[in-house]
Amino acid sequence: MPWAGSAGRAALRRLMVLSATAMLASSPIRAQDNRQDDRRDTHPAIAVQVQTSRLARAERLYRSLGEVVSVNKIDITTQRPGTIDQIFFIDSQPVAENAPLVQMDSRAAVADLRNSTAQLHLARQNLSRTQELAAKALVPLVEQQRTTAAAEAAEADFQARTVAVEILTIRAPFSGVITDRKVSAGAYVSPGQPIATLQNLDRVRVRFRVPQRLSREVRIGQTVRVTSNLGDVAVDTTVSRIDPVLDAETRLLSLEAEVDNARDVLRPGSFVRVALVLSVSENAVLVPSEALVQSLTGEYLFVVDGDRVRRATVRVGEKRDGFAEIVAGLPAGAEVVTDGQFKLQDGAAIRIVQGPANAQAPAQARGPVPPAASAGR
């Protein structure tokens, strides 16, 4: 049948045209996919530096400012009103314990002491004579009692007059340094009026405060690291006193730590940096601080996974001396990127170099970088 043959051939031609059209339409897509695969395969690896996280001892610290005060500090004053006769000390110079500092006018007191001495001598003579007569039963008992009482009164008056003369010589109750002299010889001073200040610098007290949220974490004997701005010298000591109540206005808790200052490291009146050790972790995971990247959602770093990197969000603890404690999100022994991480994204290809990552340095075998290298960077 000729007609049937013609219809079949027409249908065949239409099928062939549709197949060719579909093939032509799919060719650009396959070509585009091939080009993308080629670009992905040929994307250059990013040069980075890495170090290995390690286990080490880490301390959780609270940092604050403190004030240095003397443990022993007094104002030198007189117990009796009068005129200063002599001053034996030199301002800002050390003095020994019991050394004379000031001599008050003692002429009247010395005269009273001489009179008391004569009265005591007479009373003793009368008592001795009365005792001799009493032994012979020539003196009544009342007379014996009277002379005995008179002798005792004369003795008490003599002792009082002696003390009155002694206290007119003002002496140092402890060794230290005299500062802030306020008067000169010839000045009239009253009891309680400061003449100068004496303070011992061999042992000082550091006062500092912590917020209310830490009030249950502090205790007597806790380690305190005190650093002076005078030469950046650090001294370790312990908490010696904790105020039982918080300040009603600031809600801060006051603490004190005594420091042996025989080397004259701390000066009373100065401010110091204080680091209170709240807790210690003996097996903390540490990474160089430069490995951390800040983001709006927290901190993260890049972990080496073969020839690529993996982004890991971590929880960071204490940072100190160029290292950061990783509380969660990273095991010990993992290699982390310390330079070049700002060019990376999750899954990026890398090549490890020695030296700055932005320099064209030759690739090296991947491995841990000694801590000394991190300290020198």
Side-chain angles (χ1 to χ4, degrees):
M1 298 176 61
W3 179 85
S6 299
R9 287 193 296 272
L12 180 60
R13 283 196 298 272
R14 285 195 298 270
L15 180 61
M16 293 176 64
V17 170
L18 291 174
S19 299
T21 302
M23 293 178 62
L24 290 174
S26 64
S27 295
I29 297 176
R30 288 197 300 271
Q32 183 178 359
D33 291 342
N34 291 335
R35 287 195 297 271
Q36 290 178 350
D37 291 341
D38 292 341
R39 283 196 298 267
R40 187 182 297 113
D41 294 340
T42 60
H43 188 77
I46 300 174
V48 298
Q49 282 187 290
V50 302
Q51 287 197 34
T52 303
S53 62
R54 59 187 177 88
L55 292 177
R57 186 177 187 271
E59 299 173 337
R60 187 167 70 93
L61 306 175
Y62 174 76
R63 292 181 171 87
S64 178
L65 288 178
E67 179 187 11
V68 181
V69 296
S70 299
V71 173
N72 294 320
K73 178 182 178 181
I74 62 168
D75 286 333
I76 301 299
T77 187
T78 179
Q79 297 184 50
R80 295 284 190 275
T83 303
I84 295 178
D85 190 24
Q86 286 181 283
I87 294 179
F88 302 114
F89 65 85
I90 300 176
D91 201 10
S92 301
Q93 293 297 316
V95 295
E97 182 178 357
N98 205 39
L101 303 178
V102 177
Q103 178 62 57
M104 303 292 294
D105 185 2
S106 61
R107 289 174 295 179
V110 170
D112 290 341
L113 177 60
R114 289 176 179 171
N115 179 63
S116 178
T117 302
Q119 294 297 326
L120 176 62
H121 181 67
L122 177 60
R124 285 175 175 174
Q125 287 182 338
N126 291 336
L127 178 61
S128 177
R129 188 179 306 109
T130 301
Q131 289 175 344
E132 291 177 358
L133 295 174
K136 300 177 182 179
L138 300 176
V139 176
L141 180 60
V142 174
E143 182 66 18
Q144 297 181 38
Q145 294 174 344
R146 185 186 66 79
T147 55
T148 301
E152 292 176 352
E155 182 74 29
D157 182 73
F158 172 78
Q159 293 178 358
R161 300 293 181 181
T162 302
V163 171
V165 172
E166 290 177 351
I167 63 176
L168 293 177
T169 302
I170 304 174
R171 298 179 179 273
F174 52 82
S175 61
V177 177
I178 292 286
T179 60
D180 198 19
R181 172 177 165 178
K182 299 180 183 299
V183 296
S184 300
Y188 182 87
V189 292
S190 303
Q193 179 181 346
I195 297 174
T197 300
L198 172 64
Q199 52 186 327
N200 187 296
L201 306 182
D202 292 339
R203 193 162 187 83
V204 296
R205 183 181 293 121
V206 177
R207 294 174 177 168
F208 62 100
R209 297 187 292 179
V210 299
Q212 176 179 334
R213 60 184 173 82
L214 298 178
S215 59
R216 292 190 177 275
E217 296 189 54
V218 297
R219 61 187 182 277
I220 300 294
Q222 237 169 346
T223 300
V224 178
R225 190 168 294 111
V226 180
T227 305
S228 171
N229 292 329
L230 305 174
D232 249 5
V233 179
V235 179
D236 283 357
T237 182
T238 57
V239 175
S240 58
R241 190 189 71 84
I242 301 175
D243 202 322
V245 296
L246 279 75
D247 188 286
E249 296 181 359
T250 63
R251 310 302 176 189
L252 297 176
L253 182 66
S254 297
L255 287 77
E256 290 184 357
E258 291 193 8
V259 180
D260 186 356
N261 195 39
R263 296 182 299 163
D264 198 24
V265 174
L266 305 177
R267 293 292 180 89
S270 63
F271 283 104
V272 291
R273 299 191 300 275
V274 176
L276 175 64
V277 180
L278 297 174
S279 61
V280 178
S281 176
E282 297 294 343
N283 293 303
V285 178
L286 299 184
V287 299
S289 297
E290 59 265 26
L292 297 171
V293 182
Q294 300 284 342
S295 70
L296 295 177
T297 58
E299 292 180 289
Y300 65 91
L301 44 74
F302 288 99
V303 182
V304 176
D305 186 5
D307 58 354
R308 295 184 179 272
V309 292
R310 172 176 52 85
R311 174 172 165 167
T313 301
V314 294
R315 185 154 58 93
V316 182
E318 188 71 23
K319 294 181 180 179
R320 182 184 175 193
D321 298 334
F323 285 87
E325 178 188 3
I326 305 301
V327 179
L330 184 74
E335 288 182 320
V336 297
V337 177
T338 58
D339 192 12
Q341 63 268 47
F342 295 102
K343 306 175 186 178
L344 299 176
Q345 59 183 356
D346 193 20
I350 62 168
R351 62 185 179 90
I352 298 176
V353 298
Q354 183 177 10
N358 56 4
Q360 295 299 321
Q364 68 165 2
R366 197 162 54 249
V369 179
S374 173
R377 277 173 41 85

